Amino acid sequence: MTKLSKEYWEKRYIDNSTSWDLGEPSTPIKEYIDQLKYKDSKILIPGAGNAHEANYLFENGFKNIYILDIAPSPLEYAKKRINLPSSHFIQQDYFKYSELYDIIFEQTFFCALEPRFRESYVKKTHTLLKDGGCLIGVLFNFENKLDGPPFGGSVKEYTSLFEPFFDIIMMRPCYNSVPTRKGKELFIKLIKKNNGN
Ligand SMILES: C[S@@+](CC[C@H](N)C(=O)[O-])C[C@H]1O[C@@H](n2cnc3c(N)ncnc32)[C@H](O)[C@@H]1O
């Protein structure tokens, strides 16, 4: 059980208490997307919320994208703006979902989970990726394990969490965060290890 349940998140959307929502795609992810040439990759955005990154992908020719969230309201909002088949909008608990993707984008979903679920996040993300698949995105690099969300962490902690399951291609401070997140984000590019340990 977690207090950060579907009901908790849905209420945050209904109350319009969504301080995490940038109202646009996060710049580190946007600029990463701008470099991607292959547009057919199968992409998952978990804990997508109002799905600004998915919208940006869609506007830039990516159509094999799937938007997942536990809360119904943001998905309904995303459906109205992003012209994808309804099967691309998945209202489900990430930890109960199964499918296979080339890329998973991380944007303030990991930090929204209680820290005790981090190992499960790493293992679940590993199982949702195809061989050679990547987890790309941003993680917060400040300490706060108690009164989140957002819950933070450090390179040291994230390295020991992810390294058994992923090759860490990049995990370094973002140079292109939005002003309110400057100095607080790490950009990550992690490639699934085939053996999982
Ligand atoms: C802090 S918000 C971030 C939303 C979005 N990524 C953004 O940056 O605007 C965290 C999101 O994760 C979703 N979420 C929380 N727990 C989840 C779970 N177990 N499975 C899927 N989504 C979940 C919430 O409903 C919420 O939309």
Side-chain angles (χ1 to χ4, degrees):
M1 282 295 283
T2 171
K3 110 180 160 58
L4 303 177
S5 60
K6 170 179 148 190
E7 291 70 28
Y8 167 88
W9 290 107
E10 179 63 2
K11 185 169 179 337
R12 297 279 307 246
Y13 285 99
I14 286 171
D15 293 348
N16 216 7
S17 169
T18 54
S19 46
W20 60 80
D21 189 331
L22 296 173
E24 59 182 2
S26 158
T27 9
I29 295 180
K30 176 177 175 296
E31 291 182 12
Y32 181 82
I33 292 169
D34 291 344
Q35 297 168 36
L36 291 177
K37 302 231 172 348
Y38 184 67
K39 308 236 165 175
D40 291 333
S41 299
K42 190 171 176 195
I43 298 175
L44 176 67
I45 306 183
N50 284 326
H52 303 296
E53 290 73 26
N55 195 29
Y56 188 73
L57 281 162
F58 183 77
E59 285 172 347
N60 283 280
F62 295 83
K63 300 290 182 276
N64 203 3
I65 48 182
Y66 291 78
I67 299 161
L68 180 143
D69 205 286
I70 203 167
S73 286
L75 284 175
E76 285 310 314
Y77 179 55
K79 262 186 208 166
K80 290 186 189 139
R81 292 152 40 237
I82 308 172
N83 190 17
L84 284 168
S86 60
S87 58
H88 288 232
F89 300 85
I90 304 151
Q91 194 222 314
Q92 203 174 332
D93 183 340
Y94 186 60
F95 297 102
K96 296 188 178 148
Y97 180 60
S98 57
E99 211 7 274
L100 278 178
Y101 289 90
D102 298 303
I103 300 176
I104 297 179
F105 278 110
E106 169 51 52
Q107 159 64 16
T108 62
F109 172 47
F110 177 90
C111 70
L113 301 167
E114 286 180 48
R116 67 192 165 107
F117 295 121
R118 287 185 171 177
E119 208 177 313
S120 306
Y121 170 99
V122 172
K123 288 182 178 162
K124 175 46 86 175
T125 304
H126 182 268
T127 64
L128 289 172
L129 285 167
K130 298 179 188 172
D131 288 351
C134 310
L135 174 66
I136 310 280
V138 285
L139 297 177
F140 281 128
N141 65 345
F142 52 76
E143 284 302 337
N144 172 24
K145 296 284 164 35
L146 296 175
D147 61 351
F151 298 100
S154 62
V155 170
K156 189 164 174 248
E157 180 198 340
Y158 299 147
T159 300
S160 66
L161 255 176
F162 284 100
E163 211 164 35
F165 294 90
F166 291 87
D167 290 320
I168 300 182
I169 307 304
M170 197 182 293
M171 185 180 285
R172 63 177 186 224
C174 289
Y175 61 85
N176 50 1
S177 297
V178 296
T180 49
R181 294 188 183 165
K182 257 201 173 16
K184 296 182 193 156
E185 287 183 314
L186 300 167
F187 190 80
I188 57 162
K189 178 172 181 181
L190 313 179
I191 298 188
K192 173 179 169 142
K193 280 184 181 172
N194 285 340
N195 58 2
N197 51 46

